[in-house]
Amino acid sequence: MTSPIKPPDGNWWNQPVDRRESIWLGLGAAWSLILFGWMSTWTRVGDQNPIGETFRVDADEYREKMSAYKDEATETDDGLVPPGTDVYLNAMRFQWDGAPVVLEAGTEYDIHLSALDVQHGFSLRPEEALSQQINLQVLPGYEWVVPMTFDEPDTYHIICNEFCGQGHRTMHGTIVVEEGD
């Protein structure tokens, strides 16, 4: 079968490029460099990248930390109130162990995240502003400690955004942030 598109005649690759085409190529290259510079600068200077430390952790070791945390935490109708500023959340099919949790607005907390079984996603967003969210990956064998301060009292939803099995759609938790004392 032959192609309906006819090849150009002669050595088309040796023909000089038209002036207008050169201008568009130059504009495209300049715009690419501007975007590359902007992205590079934003990742170094911008304040959007999650911070925190990641540690290798044994699943049984993290279970013990979770158990000790839950024993020390105060249980209320709204959820667990942590004993200090460390909050432990454990992802497992198909729940967030340690949630719901009740925190105070304006206090910096260290959120400890880990998974027991497979990779999960930690998507945290306020109830009233669904366009504002943070997305993190939670991997088995790792503990990610992310410092977070909640400025406004609200209910924040934790959703798994990595497919983790048939019950994935039910994997939901909450962080209730109340006005501080």
Side-chain angles (χ1 to χ4, degrees):
M1 174 176 226
T2 61
S3 172
I5 301 172
K6 294 185 181 195
D9 295 330
N11 294 335
W12 60 271
W13 55 88
N14 286 334
Q15 299 297 318
V17 178
D18 186 64
R19 182 174 168 269
R20 290 184 183 128
E21 212 169 314
S22 297
I23 291 170
W24 279 112
L25 287 171
L27 288 172
W31 186 244
S32 297
L33 290 172
I34 289 168
L35 288 177
F36 177 77
W38 178 75
M39 289 186 298
S40 180
T41 302
W42 186 253
T43 56
R44 287 177 179 75
V45 178
D47 199 21
Q48 84 288 356
N49 291 330
I51 57 172
E53 297 182 73
T54 305
F55 305 99
R56 282 288 262 169
V57 66
D58 181 57
D60 293 331
E61 190 180 307
Y62 196 79
R63 272 194 195 111
E64 289 174 17
K65 284 184 183 181
M66 278 296 301
S67 179
Y69 164 75
K70 288 165 69 173
D71 288 344
E72 290 179 33
T74 306
E75 194 160 342
T76 66
D77 291 339
D78 291 332
L80 290 176
V81 178
T85 58
D86 289 312
V87 177
Y88 287 84
L89 295 171
N90 195 9
M92 66 179 108
R93 291 187 193 147
F94 299 99
Q95 66 177 345
W96 290 99
D97 190 20
V101 63
V102 180
L103 305 177
E104 284 186 10
T107 302
E108 183 175 303
Y109 291 93
D110 286 332
I111 310 292
H112 298 254
L113 301 169
S114 189
L116 286 183
D117 43 20
V118 297
Q119 174 179 324
H120 293 278
F122 178 82
S123 178
L124 182 66
R125 57 188 181 198
E127 189 170 62
E128 302 302 323
L130 297 180
S131 63
Q132 300 171 350
Q133 64 182 346
I134 183 172
N135 293 307
L136 305 171
Q137 281 187 315
V138 183
L139 301 170
Y142 291 92
E143 178 180 350
W144 193 354
V145 183
V146 183
M148 289 187 189
T149 303
F150 299 89
D151 297 328
E152 300 292 326
D154 201 349
T155 299
Y156 294 81
H157 294 276
I158 307 168
I159 298 168
C160 179
N161 59 4
E162 292 285 342
F163 182 73
C164 55
Q166 287 192 342
H168 164 73
R169 62 179 165 63
T170 65
M171 193 166 170
H172 178 265
T174 55
I175 295 177
V176 179
V177 177
E178 297 177 343
E179 194 66 49
D181 293 333

